[in-house]
Amino acid sequence: MPAIRTWLKRPLACFTANALDARGGLVIHGNRIEELLAPGQRPAQPCDQVFDAREHVLLPGLINTHHHFYQTLTRAWAPVINQPLFPWLQQLYPVWARLTPQQLHLACQVALAELLRSGCTTAADHHYLFPTGLEEAIDVQVDAVRGLGLRAMLSRGSMSLGEADGGLPPQHTVQSAEAILRDSERLVGRYHERGAGAQVQIALAPCSPFSVTREIMQASAEMAERLDLRLHTHLAETLDEEAFCLQRFGLRTVDYLASVGWLGPRTWLAHGIHFNPDEIARLGAAGTGICHCPSSNMRLASGICPTQDLEAAGAPVGLGVDGSASNDASNLILETRQALYLQRLRYGAAAITPERALGWATRGSARLLGRDDIGQLAPGLQADLALFKLDDLRYSGSHDPIGALLLCGADRADRVMVGGQWRLVDGEIPGLDLAGLIADHRQAASALMRAG
Ligand code: ZN
């Protein structure tokens, strides 16, 4: 069947990387963007379909680079609402260790649906819980991703340093290095797609300095090099973590990262808050990416990521909502607003514009995932788009359409396209029984707590 050509005609506004005026619209051919049209310009080729976009603001599909989908089952849980990272984790680990495959599947569907409705087209997840019975957690995630039609970078997380050996997680939540590496290689062989348009990719993601051994960090770096994969972990999130690294390894976090072979362009780090100027320079020189997670960092009172210094040094910066036990939403357009405001507190209003924050959520995030086929509206790139309408009460009286999305608090896209396919239409996900999903997910969340 020949590829369909569609003209998204004359949008209200278009967010293009170089501020190119594309108010004539976009031409989509098959799964790619074929043309960007100036105001008044018409498509070069006849189109099979015309979509009137006059009420829509067009963005590249937003890209989320850090999450823990399973945590949607433990949102706003009273015992940890007012806790910082370490006690928050220590209370939650035993709950999470009871997770079943069915519960995980529901949690993934909820997180992905929520992301999709917020304009997200590619989602990275960091899953590091593989208790008995949940050894095939990533397979469960792949199934949920395929069901909803987003792209995903599923990070095969791991924990190998339990309490008995001086780590933070309970012993029954950790796996042996051998089991972790064997499963990682299996997943890469089975699911990892390469090249433009990939839907599912696998990354290697030991959880954090306080939950894994040096050996698994080194072995993951070697496997990533051998199989050409991305590396992901939490780093420099809190001062507790820094103290742990100094005490256990005699190293600050970035020295530790370098010592295990991770200071390079394959790596992207969640949080990246507590760096000194020398460390920022080294991260930039290495091209190591940082995923900024503003809501989580505010909720756990972890600190503020030095985004502008990192970018000035050469480190790519992207955005992540982080897990739903510390956000507790999975809404990427609202997270972009949080990034705008939190970073203004650090760097001032003039430096941090809505366009800069949207740049983190799109092409910045794409760089963290090592992708040059998504994250921008440009000819030849994948047709991954988020369309927002400004017809809600909250936008009434607004003037600049791109600014209005963040300043007026957009929280829901009207339409989302992934690889030329509409995955959100009039704010709804075709084929998904949302009410049924919410009912099942709420029940699973209660069951998880009751099982303790
Ligand atoms: Zn996280």
Side-chain angles (χ1 to χ4, degrees):
M1 198 172 72
I4 300 283
R5 183 175 279 113
T6 304
W7 180 14
L8 303 182
K9 188 177 172 183
R10 300 188 186 128
L12 186 61
C14 230
F15 179 63
T16 56
N18 44 10
L20 187 82
D21 189 349
R23 276 176 299 162
L26 257 63
V27 179
I28 309 299
H29 188 211
N31 61 357
R32 290 173 194 249
I33 300 169
E34 187 174 60
E35 259 191 298
L36 260 58
L37 306 173
Q41 191 184 348
R42 298 183 64 82
Q45 307 269 344
C47 289
D48 306 292
Q49 298 174 347
V50 177
F51 176 82
D52 184 345
R54 82 179 86 172
E55 293 183 38
H56 290 96
V57 180
L58 253 69
L59 305 182
L62 307 180
I63 300 171
N64 192 53
T65 58
H66 187 66
H67 203 322
H68 311 284
F69 295 159
Y70 72 87
Q71 291 183 10
T72 57
L73 293 162
T74 55
R75 295 200 238 224
W77 185 44
V80 298
I81 284 177
N82 305 311
Q83 301 278 12
L85 183 69
F86 276 20
W88 174 90
L89 277 170
Q90 284 164 320
Q91 292 215 46
L92 280 163
Y93 281 139
V95 177
W96 294 336
R98 302 195 290 262
L99 199 63
T100 67
Q102 293 75 15
Q103 290 166 344
L104 176 61
H105 197 268
L106 289 165
C108 292
Q109 286 182 297
V110 162
L112 288 161
E114 201 181 346
L115 283 166
L116 183 58
R117 292 211 308 176
S118 75
C120 176
T121 51
T122 299
D125 194 67
H126 188 178
H127 188 91
Y128 50 81
L129 291 163
F130 298 83
T132 305
L134 192 60
E135 290 85 353
E136 300 197 342
I138 304 295
D139 305 73
V140 171
Q141 295 200 303
V142 170
D143 189 66
V145 165
R146 287 182 175 160
L148 282 155
L150 286 84
R151 301 184 200 281
M153 173 71 87
L154 299 173
S155 304
R156 203 298 180 186
S158 51
M159 297 202 291
S160 60
L161 186 69
E163 279 170 326
D165 302 307
L168 202 67
Q171 211 59 29
H172 67 286
T173 63
V174 305
Q175 285 184 298
S176 71
E178 191 198 3
I180 292 164
L181 295 169
R182 192 174 56 235
D183 190 48
S184 299
E185 194 147 357
R186 175 185 73 83
L187 291 164
V188 172
R190 181 149 188 200
Y191 299 117
H192 185 69
E193 300 171 32
R194 299 178 190 272
Q199 187 191 8
V200 173
Q201 296 191 313
I202 303 291
L204 306 181
C207 190
S208 58
F210 50 84
S211 60
V212 299
T213 56
R214 292 184 65 97
E215 291 66 34
I216 198 75
M217 290 293 283
Q218 283 164 337
S220 299
E222 285 160 20
M223 187 185 290
E225 200 62 44
R226 178 163 60 83
L227 301 178
D228 190 17
L229 304 168
R230 307 298 286 182
L231 289 165
H232 182 50
T233 192
H234 295 92
L235 201 82
E237 179 176 3
T238 65
L239 292 172
D240 286 356
E241 178 203 321
E242 185 178 294
F244 180 95
C245 287
L246 284 168
Q247 191 257 326
R248 184 174 179 93
F249 309 116
L251 297 170
R252 287 179 53 80
T253 53
V254 174
D255 292 325
Y256 169 68
L257 200 71
S259 77
V260 289
W262 276 56
L263 191 58
R266 288 187 186 285
T267 300
W268 90 100
L269 305 169
H271 307 295
I273 295 169
H274 301 284
F275 297 134
N276 64 32
D278 172 61
E279 289 164 342
I280 289 173
R282 288 164 65 201
L283 289 160
T288 299
I290 307 293
C291 168
H292 177 34
C293 305
S295 295
S296 171
N297 298 160
M298 288 189 274
R299 182 183 149 174
L300 299 173
S302 304
I304 306 180
C305 175
T307 56
Q308 179 156 285
D309 297 275
L310 286 160
E311 282 191 317
V317 171
L319 288 190
V321 298
D322 200 4
S324 298
S326 68
N327 180 309
D328 300 12
S330 302
N331 191 307
L332 193 47
I333 190 73
L334 279 177
E335 197 66 18
T336 311
R337 172 181 159 96
Q338 294 279 45
L340 172 74
Y341 288 155
L342 182 61
Q343 291 300 321
R344 279 190 170 191
L345 277 183
R346 182 157 194 153
Y347 294 111
I352 310 296
T353 62
E355 287 77 7
R356 187 162 184 188
L358 285 167
W360 291 329
T362 54
R363 61 185 184 280
S365 283
R367 283 184 68 193
L368 299 197
L369 303 186
R371 296 194 68 150
D372 57 9
D373 60 328
I374 56 174
Q376 296 187 58
L377 299 180
L381 269 68
Q382 291 293 305
D384 289 9
L385 311 171
L387 284 70
F388 290 82
K389 267 190 176 175
L390 304 184
D391 58 354
D392 194 44
L393 184 63
R394 66 182 62 206
Y395 305 107
S396 183
S398 66
H399 299 276
D400 178 75
I402 301 277
L405 283 180
L406 299 191
L407 301 181
C408 301
D411 66 344
R412 193 154 164 193
D414 182 59
R415 282 185 169 247
V416 171
M417 178 183 276
V418 184
Q421 305 281 324
W422 290 115
R423 298 298 185 183
L424 187 77
V425 176
D426 300 332
E428 306 293 337
I429 300 169
L432 180 72
D433 170 12
L434 194 64
L437 174 60
I438 293 170
D440 292 347
H441 182 259
R442 289 176 73 110
Q443 203 171 43
S446 302
L448 184 63
M449 289 304 173
R450 275 201 312 273

